[in-house]
Amino acid sequence: MPYQTINPFNNKLIKEYPTHNDKQVEEALSTAHALYKSDWAQGDIKQRVKVLHKLSELMASRVDELAEVVSVEMGKLIGQSRGEVQICADIAKFYAENAEEFLKPVPYKSDLGEAWVEHHPIGVIMAVEPWNFPFYQLMRVLAPNLASGNSVLVKHASIVPHCAETFEKLVSEAGAPKGAYTNLFISQDQVASIIDDDRVQGVALTGSEKAGAIVAARAAGKLKKSTLELGGNDVFAVLDDADIDHAAKAGAQARVSNAGQVCTAAKRFIIHEKVADEFLKKFTEHFKALKIGDPLDKSTTLGPLSSADAVKTLSKQVDDAVKHGAKLHFGGKKVTGNPGNFFEPTILTHITRDNPAYFEEFFGPVAQVYIVKNDEELVKLANDSHYGLGGSVFTTDLNRARKLASQIETGMVYVNSPTDTAAELPFGGVKRSGFGRELSDLGIKEFVNQKLVVLAAKS
């Protein structure tokens, strides 16, 4: 696909970007590998975290400017874009302040002698990243790897080239040497060739299940470590003792944030039968109150989908769900009368297990509502999924919440809150939602050599 900036609010082409040829890719690889071999990567971490401190300051000082780049290019509401820029600044600051501690040698008790594990960079990391959080996804890969000494090459999504280019310039302005972070406008075939290259030692991908399977297989074929953050079909469970007003409001926001284009968005709403009618009524009211419009307008509460193709895909999914017996409780169609990529906020009910919608991820403002009789049914339904990324449980009984959180098969569970993210908390899933973790102390150790050193005890 060509690298183009197309405003999803009006579908106007803003700019096309030239792609990188094989010679340019080779130059990028050579530069990145040479940097890994240099004192920059192998020397004192303080020179690297200094760059992260500066990067954090740069992004924090340009929140409005950078947020507009995101909103114009992929349609995120301007307030949410500001939030994305700010968390990027937070992630850079977090690793700047904590990376040295995370990477300190760890002592191990052993009869064999004095033992410890050191943490060293492993080389060049190839990252393939999606459009829905065009700065945040990049920062999640860059910050821990830059701190640890790995060089990063990135293929960003073809619909957010301005974000990709802007981020690369920010990293350079923060003082990172050439090769520390390189944006590449390349094809899937070129990505495959890069993964095959001996200088590349790790692969990180956030994206679709299909893309993840292809990239992970390629990496595995060359015996290279990979991390995958893929799709999700997150549950939003509301128990019979929950604060329904709070749950309905939080649930609506959790489903339509970023126009529903979030891997960890609430997608399957599992409601206890005693509160189902009340929840559905209030939940629907929140959907009805949404204002569709320009993402740069502060009063807009539901922006466009990222592309015309995204609208087509979502429309087909909803139509197929209804054909297979689901009931259309609210919405269900592309918004007409404007040139943008808008889809009505939608609620589906009465979805049975033989309906394709039951196992599909809907990447847009479409909620599925299920009703259960008890906690056992809730857990069974929650775990009957190909995915296992995040989830939420709403209840006033925290002991009950702890028990359910332990039983639900996901990488993350939030109680009385939609699934969220923070620099200090690990992010990732299980099943077809991928493997590995980003952020926190876990994220920085995904692509390092955890080297054991033993000083033998005297005999």
Side-chain angles (χ1 to χ4, degrees):
M1 290 180 65
Y3 284 80
Q4 299 176 323
T5 297
I6 298 175
N7 188 337
F9 172 62
N10 54 28
N11 272 314
K12 288 184 178 178
L13 174 64
I14 296 174
K15 186 177 178 180
E16 293 191 27
Y17 292 74
T19 55
H20 292 95
N21 59 38
D22 291 345
K23 181 181 177 183
Q24 291 170 312
V25 170
E26 171 55 32
E27 289 172 354
L29 256 173
S30 296
T31 303
H33 181 66
L35 186 66
Y36 158 67
K37 290 290 189 180
S38 74
D39 184 62
W40 161 260
Q42 306 297 332
D44 193 342
I45 191 176
K46 289 181 174 60
Q47 63 186 332
R48 300 192 297 273
V49 298
K50 182 180 178 182
V51 173
L52 290 177
H53 272 298
K54 180 62 176 177
L55 181 58
S56 176
E57 291 170 3
L58 285 173
M59 296 196 78
S61 68
R62 299 179 189 174
V63 170
D64 290 347
E65 170 196 339
L66 295 172
E68 186 168 335
V69 172
V70 174
S71 292
V72 169
E73 190 159 57
M74 60 76 52
K76 194 189 301 284
L77 299 186
I78 189 63
Q80 294 172 15
S81 293
R82 291 191 184 104
E84 178 176 344
V85 176
Q86 186 57 58
I87 195 169
C88 286
D90 294 344
I91 292 169
K93 183 179 180 183
F94 173 76
Y95 281 112
E97 293 178 346
N98 294 285
E100 188 169 8
E101 181 67 25
F102 292 155
L103 298 175
K104 281 172 62 176
V106 177
Y108 281 75
K109 290 183 179 180
S110 174
D111 292 339
L112 298 182
E114 182 184 354
W116 66 90
V117 166
E118 299 175 352
H119 302 97
H120 298 282
I122 60 173
V124 180
I125 307 301
M126 179 67 217
V128 180
E129 299 301 324
W131 46 262
N132 57 337
F133 289 88
F135 287 147
Y136 166 71
Q137 300 287 3
L138 300 181
M139 185 62 83
R140 289 201 321 197
V141 174
L142 167 74
N145 282 294
L146 188 145
S148 64
N150 294 324
S151 301
V152 180
L153 303 179
V154 178
K155 181 214 176 296
H156 213 341
S158 62
I159 64 172
V160 287
H162 189 196
C163 288
E165 205 171 60
T166 299
F167 190 83
E168 183 182 42
K169 289 176 181 176
L170 284 166
V171 177
S172 178
E173 188 177 344
K178 192 172 175 58
Y181 180 89
T182 308
N183 170 67
L184 294 171
F185 293 142
I186 54 177
S187 67
Q188 292 179 356
D189 288 344
Q190 287 172 302
V191 170
S193 295
I194 292 171
I195 293 172
D196 290 349
D197 194 286
D198 288 341
R199 291 166 290 186
V200 172
Q201 291 298 308
V203 183
L205 178 140
T206 296
S208 69
E209 180 184 339
K210 180 180 177 182
I214 293 170
V215 168
R218 192 85 188 195
K222 296 297 179 178
L223 300 178
K224 294 177 182 180
K225 171 75 179 287
S226 64
T227 58
L228 302 178
E229 195 268 280
L230 309 177
N233 208 0
D234 288 9
V235 297
F236 188 99
V238 181
L239 307 189
D240 51 329
D241 63 352
D243 179 338
I244 302 304
D245 286 333
H246 173 54
K249 182 178 181 181
Q253 183 58 33
R255 177 62 285 210
V256 302
S257 179
N258 201 20
Q261 302 167 119
V262 184
C263 296
T264 56
K267 290 162 188 162
R268 295 184 295 149
F269 291 80
I270 304 177
I271 318 300
H272 193 285
E273 62 179 8
K274 290 182 180 178
V275 295
D277 289 343
E278 181 186 2
F279 176 84
L280 187 56
K281 179 175 178 290
K282 292 178 177 178
F283 185 62
T284 306
E285 287 171 356
H286 285 293
F287 269 37
K288 287 180 178 177
L290 290 167
K291 181 186 174 186
I292 293 172
D294 186 346
L296 295 177
D297 184 339
K298 293 179 182 178
S299 67
T300 299
T301 52
L302 183 62
L305 298 187
S306 62
S307 67
D309 284 344
V311 176
K312 291 176 185 175
T313 298
L314 198 60
S315 297
K316 185 179 185 303
Q317 284 181 295
V318 172
D319 290 345
D320 285 349
V322 173
K323 286 178 185 176
H324 286 83
K327 291 189 178 179
L328 196 57
H329 177 78
F330 185 74
K333 292 184 283 228
K334 179 185 187 302
V335 175
T336 57
N338 65 63
N341 305 319
F342 292 96
F343 196 88
E344 294 176 341
T346 299
I347 301 172
L348 295 170
T349 62
H350 296 82
I351 297 171
T352 55
R353 197 176 188 277
D354 59 353
N355 192 319
Y358 185 90
F359 287 107
E360 288 181 348
E361 178 183 26
F362 284 65
F363 220 59
V366 179
Q368 301 180 13
V369 176
Y370 299 85
I371 300 173
V372 294
K373 294 179 180 179
N374 52 47
D375 291 2
E376 288 72 28
E377 281 192 12
L378 187 161
V379 172
K380 183 179 179 181
L381 179 55
N383 291 343
D384 191 18
S385 172
H386 299 319
Y387 298 104
L389 190 53
S392 301
V393 177
F394 280 71
T395 175
T396 54
D397 185 340
L398 297 187
N399 287 328
R400 189 179 177 191
R402 291 175 192 272
K403 182 180 178 181
L404 288 171
S406 295
Q407 292 176 322
I408 295 172
E409 297 169 352
T410 62
M412 303 170 281
V413 178
Y414 282 71
V415 176
N416 294 325
S417 164
T419 306
D420 207 342
T421 186
E424 66 275 12
L425 298 177
F427 190 103
V430 295
K431 301 182 183 179
R432 295 186 194 174
S433 289
F435 46 76
R437 294 294 181 267
E438 292 183 316
L439 303 177
S440 78
D441 60 319
L442 301 185
I444 200 170
K445 293 184 178 179
E446 288 286 358
F447 293 111
V448 294
N449 176 11
Q450 300 185 48
K451 181 195 293 181
L452 172 66
V453 180
V454 179
L455 299 184
K458 293 182 180 178
S459 57

